[in-house]
Amino acid sequence: MKFKSMTTIFARALAQVAGFIALTVSLTMGATSISAQSGRNGQLHVTKECSAYTGSAGSFCTITSSDLAEIKTGSKVSYDQAAGIPAGLLDSNVVLDAGTGNRALGRCTLDLTTGLGLCTFSDGTGQFTGFTARVDVDCRSGCRWDGTYSFSPEPGR
């Protein structure tokens, strides 16, 4: 009888330890999954030159520096709408084209009087899949973007 009681106690203790280990492993794996799904984000600083920008739909600016690897020097920012509609603004859909199918889609609004504005990006293709950004635009002396970006993990397809 005493042997059976000790075996029962040992079995229960073993079951509790196994349960604790299983819980710990599942929580650890869950935390890893959550961490892996968090994507990446940070500050974004870009300069561009706009000598090819005419104010017409389809004109563009060229990236001259960027602290984000995906936005390579030489990438183009094309504007779909003409400047001045509405009056005094550039308010346009934009495509940031880094070549070979790597494109970010967004919208930029710039006050043509002050040279200040805002660009937002909501997604993209290639290396820009899951890309979002919100940048302040300053074109008073050259053109700069300063703001934040993030990459969300690609959803399961």
Side-chain angles (χ1 to χ4, degrees), residues 20-31:
F20 177 76
I21 290 171
L23 177 62
T24 302
V25 168
S26 70
L27 288 175
T28 302
M29 291 177 71

Side-chain angles (χ1 to χ4, degrees), residues 77-153:
V77 182
S78 297
Y79 298 85
D80 290 345
Q81 283 86 24
I85 305 171
L89 294 177
L90 166 62
D91 186 33
S92 179
N93 293 323
V94 295
V95 176
L96 170 60
D97 189 344
T100 59
N102 298 305
R103 295 182 183 95
L105 311 173
R107 183 149 193 98
C108 291
T109 302
L110 180 72
D111 183 316
L112 297 173
T113 304
T114 65
L116 300 174
L118 172 72
C119 289
T120 57
F121 291 88
S122 58
D123 205 351
T125 60
Q127 292 179 335
F128 289 107
T129 299
F131 176 72
T132 59
R134 185 181 194 284
V135 295
D136 293 323
V137 179
D138 184 344
C139 290
R140 293 176 291 188
S141 157
C143 277
R144 288 191 327 271
W145 288 349
D146 293 300
T148 58
Y149 76 91
S150 66
F151 284 90
S152 299

